[in-house]
Short mmCIF file of all heavy atoms in Angstrom, two decimals:
data_model
loop_
_atom_site.label_atom_id
_atom_site.label_comp_id
_atom_site.label_asym_id
_atom_site.label_seq_id
_atom_site.Cartn_x
_atom_site.Cartn_y
_atom_site.Cartn_z
N SER A 15 6.51 -11.02 27.39
CA SER A 15 5.97 -12.17 26.65
C SER A 15 7.01 -13.15 26.16
O SER A 15 6.65 -14.21 25.63
CB SER A 15 5.18 -11.67 25.42
OG SER A 15 4.13 -10.83 25.80
N GLY A 16 8.28 -12.83 26.31
CA GLY A 16 9.30 -13.67 25.69
C GLY A 16 9.73 -14.83 26.57
O GLY A 16 9.48 -14.85 27.78
N PRO A 17 10.38 -15.82 25.98
CA PRO A 17 10.95 -16.93 26.75
C PRO A 17 12.21 -16.48 27.50
O PRO A 17 12.69 -15.36 27.32
CB PRO A 17 11.29 -17.95 25.66
CG PRO A 17 11.55 -17.11 24.45
CD PRO A 17 10.63 -15.94 24.54
N ASP A 18 12.73 -17.35 28.32
CA ASP A 18 13.97 -17.05 29.02
C ASP A 18 15.09 -16.78 28.01
O ASP A 18 15.20 -17.47 26.99
CB ASP A 18 14.37 -18.21 29.92
CG ASP A 18 13.40 -18.39 31.09
OD1 ASP A 18 12.71 -17.42 31.42
OD2 ASP A 18 13.34 -19.51 31.63
N HIS A 19 15.91 -15.80 28.30
CA HIS A 19 17.03 -15.50 27.41
C HIS A 19 18.10 -14.76 28.20
O HIS A 19 17.82 -14.13 29.22
CB HIS A 19 16.56 -14.66 26.22
CG HIS A 19 15.99 -13.33 26.60
ND1 HIS A 19 14.71 -13.18 27.10
CD2 HIS A 19 16.53 -12.08 26.56
CE1 HIS A 19 14.48 -11.89 27.35
NE2 HIS A 19 15.57 -11.21 27.02
N ASP A 20 19.32 -14.87 27.71
CA ASP A 20 20.45 -14.22 28.36
C ASP A 20 20.83 -12.92 27.69
O ASP A 20 21.70 -12.19 28.19
CB ASP A 20 21.66 -15.17 28.36
CG ASP A 20 21.35 -16.50 29.04
OD1 ASP A 20 20.67 -16.47 30.08
OD2 ASP A 20 21.76 -17.55 28.51
N GLY A 21 20.23 -12.64 26.58
CA GLY A 21 20.52 -11.42 25.83
C GLY A 21 19.92 -11.53 24.45
O GLY A 21 19.46 -12.59 24.04
N PHE A 22 19.88 -10.41 23.73
CA PHE A 22 19.30 -10.45 22.40
C PHE A 22 19.96 -9.41 21.51
O PHE A 22 20.53 -8.42 21.97
CB PHE A 22 17.78 -10.21 22.45
CG PHE A 22 17.38 -8.79 22.78
CD1 PHE A 22 17.18 -7.85 21.77
CD2 PHE A 22 17.21 -8.38 24.10
CE1 PHE A 22 16.82 -6.54 22.06
CE2 PHE A 22 16.84 -7.08 24.41
CZ PHE A 22 16.64 -6.16 23.38
N THR A 23 19.86 -9.66 20.22
CA THR A 23 20.21 -8.68 19.20
C THR A 23 19.02 -8.58 18.25
O THR A 23 18.14 -9.45 18.26
CB THR A 23 21.46 -9.08 18.41
OG1 THR A 23 21.23 -10.36 17.79
CG2 THR A 23 22.68 -9.17 19.33
N PHE A 24 18.99 -7.54 17.44
CA PHE A 24 17.86 -7.39 16.51
C PHE A 24 18.32 -6.71 15.24
O PHE A 24 19.34 -6.02 15.20
CB PHE A 24 16.72 -6.62 17.17
CG PHE A 24 17.02 -5.16 17.40
CD1 PHE A 24 16.66 -4.19 16.46
CD2 PHE A 24 17.66 -4.75 18.56
CE1 PHE A 24 16.94 -2.85 16.68
CE2 PHE A 24 17.95 -3.41 18.79
CZ PHE A 24 17.58 -2.46 17.84
N GLN A 25 17.54 -6.93 14.20
CA GLN A 25 17.77 -6.26 12.92
C GLN A 25 16.44 -6.10 12.21
O GLN A 25 15.47 -6.80 12.51
CB GLN A 25 18.73 -7.07 12.05
CG GLN A 25 18.21 -8.47 11.73
CD GLN A 25 19.18 -9.26 10.88
OE1 GLN A 25 19.81 -8.72 9.97
NE2 GLN A 25 19.31 -10.54 11.18
N THR A 26 16.39 -5.14 11.29
CA THR A 26 15.19 -4.99 10.48
C THR A 26 15.34 -5.87 9.25
O THR A 26 16.45 -5.99 8.70
CB THR A 26 14.98 -3.53 10.05
OG1 THR A 26 16.15 -3.06 9.38
CG2 THR A 26 14.70 -2.66 11.26
N PRO A 27 14.28 -6.51 8.80
CA PRO A 27 14.38 -7.36 7.60
C PRO A 27 14.62 -6.52 6.37
O PRO A 27 14.26 -5.34 6.32
CB PRO A 27 13.03 -8.07 7.55
CG PRO A 27 12.10 -7.22 8.33
CD PRO A 27 12.93 -6.52 9.37
N GLY A 28 15.22 -7.12 5.35
CA GLY A 28 15.45 -6.43 4.09
C GLY A 28 14.21 -6.44 3.23
O GLY A 28 13.15 -6.92 3.61
N GLY A 29 14.37 -5.89 2.03
CA GLY A 29 13.30 -5.96 1.04
C GLY A 29 12.22 -4.92 1.18
O GLY A 29 11.15 -5.05 0.60
N GLY A 30 12.46 -3.85 1.95
CA GLY A 30 11.48 -2.78 2.01
C GLY A 30 10.45 -2.90 3.11
O GLY A 30 9.41 -2.26 3.07
N HIS A 31 10.70 -3.74 4.12
CA HIS A 31 9.75 -3.86 5.22
C HIS A 31 9.74 -2.58 6.06
O HIS A 31 10.69 -1.81 6.08
CB HIS A 31 10.12 -5.04 6.13
CG HIS A 31 9.68 -6.36 5.56
ND1 HIS A 31 8.38 -6.79 5.62
CD2 HIS A 31 10.38 -7.32 4.91
CE1 HIS A 31 8.29 -7.97 5.04
NE2 HIS A 31 9.49 -8.31 4.60
N GLN A 32 8.65 -2.39 6.80
CA GLN A 32 8.53 -1.21 7.64
C GLN A 32 9.53 -1.28 8.78
O GLN A 32 9.99 -2.32 9.18
CB GLN A 32 7.11 -1.11 8.21
CG GLN A 32 6.02 -1.24 7.17
CD GLN A 32 5.45 -2.63 7.17
OE1 GLN A 32 6.18 -3.61 7.18
NE2 GLN A 32 4.14 -2.73 7.14
N SER A 33 9.84 -0.10 9.34
CA SER A 33 10.80 -0.02 10.43
C SER A 33 10.24 -0.56 11.73
O SER A 33 10.97 -0.68 12.72
CB SER A 33 11.23 1.44 10.62
OG SER A 33 10.10 2.25 10.92
N ASP A 34 8.93 -0.90 11.77
CA ASP A 34 8.35 -1.41 13.01
C ASP A 34 8.37 -2.93 13.07
O ASP A 34 7.72 -3.53 13.91
CB ASP A 34 6.91 -0.90 13.18
CG ASP A 34 6.09 -1.02 11.90
OD1 ASP A 34 6.31 -1.99 11.15
OD2 ASP A 34 5.24 -0.15 11.65
N VAL A 35 9.11 -3.59 12.17
CA VAL A 35 9.25 -5.03 12.17
C VAL A 35 10.71 -5.37 12.46
O VAL A 35 11.62 -4.80 11.85
CB VAL A 35 8.85 -5.64 10.80
CG1 VAL A 35 9.01 -7.15 10.82
CG2 VAL A 35 7.42 -5.26 10.45
N TYR A 36 10.93 -6.31 13.39
CA TYR A 36 12.29 -6.64 13.81
C TYR A 36 12.48 -8.15 13.92
O TYR A 36 11.61 -8.85 14.46
CB TYR A 36 12.60 -6.00 15.17
CG TYR A 36 12.42 -4.50 15.18
CD1 TYR A 36 11.22 -3.93 15.62
CD2 TYR A 36 13.41 -3.66 14.70
CE1 TYR A 36 11.03 -2.56 15.59
CE2 TYR A 36 13.23 -2.28 14.68
CZ TYR A 36 12.04 -1.74 15.12
OH TYR A 36 11.86 -0.38 15.08
N ILE A 37 13.60 -8.62 13.40
CA ILE A 37 14.03 -10.00 13.62
C ILE A 37 14.89 -10.00 14.88
O ILE A 37 15.92 -9.31 14.94
CB ILE A 37 14.83 -10.53 12.43
CG1 ILE A 37 13.96 -10.53 11.17
CG2 ILE A 37 15.33 -11.95 12.70
CD1 ILE A 37 14.73 -10.87 9.90
N VAL A 38 14.46 -10.74 15.88
CA VAL A 38 15.13 -10.72 17.19
C VAL A 38 15.81 -12.07 17.41
O VAL A 38 15.16 -13.13 17.33
CB VAL A 38 14.12 -10.44 18.32
CG1 VAL A 38 14.83 -10.42 19.67
CG2 VAL A 38 13.40 -9.11 18.06
N THR A 39 17.10 -12.02 17.69
CA THR A 39 17.87 -13.23 17.99
C THR A 39 18.18 -13.26 19.48
O THR A 39 18.79 -12.33 20.01
CB THR A 39 19.19 -13.25 17.19
OG1 THR A 39 18.90 -13.16 15.80
CG2 THR A 39 19.96 -14.54 17.45
N MET A 40 17.72 -14.32 20.14
CA MET A 40 17.93 -14.46 21.58
C MET A 40 18.93 -15.57 21.86
O MET A 40 18.99 -16.56 21.13
CB MET A 40 16.60 -14.77 22.27
CG MET A 40 15.64 -13.62 22.27
SD MET A 40 13.99 -14.11 22.89
CE MET A 40 13.35 -14.98 21.46
N ALA A 41 19.70 -15.37 22.91
CA ALA A 41 20.67 -16.38 23.35
C ALA A 41 20.23 -16.95 24.69
O ALA A 41 19.78 -16.21 25.57
CB ALA A 41 22.06 -15.76 23.48
N HIS A 42 20.34 -18.28 24.82
CA HIS A 42 20.00 -18.92 26.09
C HIS A 42 20.64 -20.30 26.15
O HIS A 42 20.47 -21.10 25.22
CB HIS A 42 18.48 -19.05 26.26
CG HIS A 42 18.08 -19.65 27.58
ND1 HIS A 42 18.33 -19.02 28.79
CD2 HIS A 42 17.46 -20.82 27.88
CE1 HIS A 42 17.86 -19.78 29.77
NE2 HIS A 42 17.34 -20.88 29.25
N GLY A 43 21.39 -20.54 27.21
CA GLY A 43 22.01 -21.86 27.41
C GLY A 43 22.94 -22.25 26.29
O GLY A 43 23.03 -23.44 25.93
N GLY A 44 23.62 -21.27 25.71
CA GLY A 44 24.55 -21.57 24.63
C GLY A 44 23.90 -21.76 23.27
O GLY A 44 24.58 -22.03 22.28
N GLU A 45 22.57 -21.59 23.18
CA GLU A 45 21.85 -21.73 21.91
C GLU A 45 21.27 -20.37 21.50
O GLU A 45 21.06 -19.49 22.32
CB GLU A 45 20.71 -22.75 22.05
CG GLU A 45 21.14 -24.14 22.45
CD GLU A 45 21.87 -24.86 21.32
OE1 GLU A 45 21.65 -24.48 20.15
OE2 GLU A 45 22.65 -25.78 21.61
N GLU A 46 21.04 -20.23 20.20
CA GLU A 46 20.40 -19.04 19.69
C GLU A 46 19.10 -19.41 18.97
O GLU A 46 19.03 -20.47 18.33
CB GLU A 46 21.31 -18.31 18.70
CG GLU A 46 22.47 -17.58 19.36
CD GLU A 46 23.21 -16.67 18.38
OE1 GLU A 46 23.01 -16.85 17.15
OE2 GLU A 46 23.95 -15.79 18.84
N TYR A 47 18.07 -18.59 19.12
CA TYR A 47 16.84 -18.80 18.39
C TYR A 47 16.23 -17.44 18.07
O TYR A 47 16.55 -16.44 18.71
CB TYR A 47 15.86 -19.69 19.16
CG TYR A 47 15.62 -19.30 20.60
CD1 TYR A 47 14.50 -18.57 20.96
CD2 TYR A 47 16.51 -19.68 21.60
CE1 TYR A 47 14.27 -18.23 22.27
CE2 TYR A 47 16.29 -19.34 22.93
CZ TYR A 47 15.16 -18.61 23.26
OH TYR A 47 14.94 -18.25 24.56
N GLU A 48 15.38 -17.43 17.05
CA GLU A 48 14.88 -16.17 16.52
C GLU A 48 13.36 -16.11 16.53
O GLU A 48 12.69 -17.13 16.38
CB GLU A 48 15.36 -15.98 15.07
CG GLU A 48 16.87 -15.82 14.94
CD GLU A 48 17.27 -15.66 13.47
OE1 GLU A 48 16.77 -16.42 12.62
OE2 GLU A 48 18.10 -14.78 13.20
N VAL A 49 12.85 -14.90 16.69
CA VAL A 49 11.43 -14.61 16.52
C VAL A 49 11.34 -13.30 15.75
O VAL A 49 12.34 -12.60 15.54
CB VAL A 49 10.68 -14.49 17.87
CG1 VAL A 49 10.69 -15.80 18.63
CG2 VAL A 49 11.26 -13.35 18.72
N VAL A 50 10.14 -12.96 15.33
CA VAL A 50 9.89 -11.68 14.66
C VAL A 50 8.89 -10.90 15.50
O VAL A 50 7.84 -11.43 15.88
CB VAL A 50 9.35 -11.88 13.23
CG1 VAL A 50 9.04 -10.54 12.59
CG2 VAL A 50 10.35 -12.67 12.39
N VAL A 51 9.21 -9.65 15.79
CA VAL A 51 8.34 -8.76 16.56
C VAL A 51 7.85 -7.65 15.65
O VAL A 51 8.65 -7.00 14.96
CB VAL A 51 9.09 -8.16 17.77
CG1 VAL A 51 8.17 -7.19 18.53
CG2 VAL A 51 9.60 -9.24 18.70
N LYS A 52 6.55 -7.45 15.63
CA LYS A 52 5.98 -6.35 14.85
C LYS A 52 5.15 -5.47 15.77
O LYS A 52 4.26 -5.96 16.46
CB LYS A 52 5.11 -6.86 13.70
CG LYS A 52 4.51 -5.72 12.87
CD LYS A 52 3.85 -6.20 11.60
CE LYS A 52 3.35 -5.02 10.77
NZ LYS A 52 2.79 -5.44 9.46
N PHE A 53 5.44 -4.16 15.76
CA PHE A 53 4.69 -3.18 16.54
C PHE A 53 3.66 -2.49 15.65
O PHE A 53 3.85 -2.36 14.43
CB PHE A 53 5.62 -2.12 17.12
CG PHE A 53 6.56 -2.64 18.17
CD1 PHE A 53 7.88 -2.91 17.86
CD2 PHE A 53 6.12 -2.86 19.46
CE1 PHE A 53 8.76 -3.40 18.81
CE2 PHE A 53 6.99 -3.34 20.43
CZ PHE A 53 8.31 -3.61 20.11
N LYS A 54 2.59 -2.03 16.26
CA LYS A 54 1.57 -1.29 15.52
C LYS A 54 2.17 0.01 15.00
O LYS A 54 2.73 0.79 15.76
CB LYS A 54 0.37 -0.98 16.42
CG LYS A 54 -0.75 -0.21 15.72
CD LYS A 54 -1.88 0.11 16.68
CE LYS A 54 -3.02 0.83 15.99
NZ LYS A 54 -2.62 2.13 15.41
#
Side-chain angles (χ1 to χ4, degrees):
S15 301
D18 292 338
H19 61 282
D20 302 320
F22 72 91
T23 59
F24 69 93
Q25 60 181 321
T26 55
H31 280 282
Q32 310 100 313
S33 59
D34 46 34
V35 180
Y36 304 96
I37 299 173
V38 180
T39 303
M40 290 172 283
H42 182 64
E45 300 288 337
E46 287 190 343
Y47 49 99
E48 295 179 315
V49 297
V50 177
V51 178
K52 180 170 184 176
F53 293 101
K54 181 182 182 299

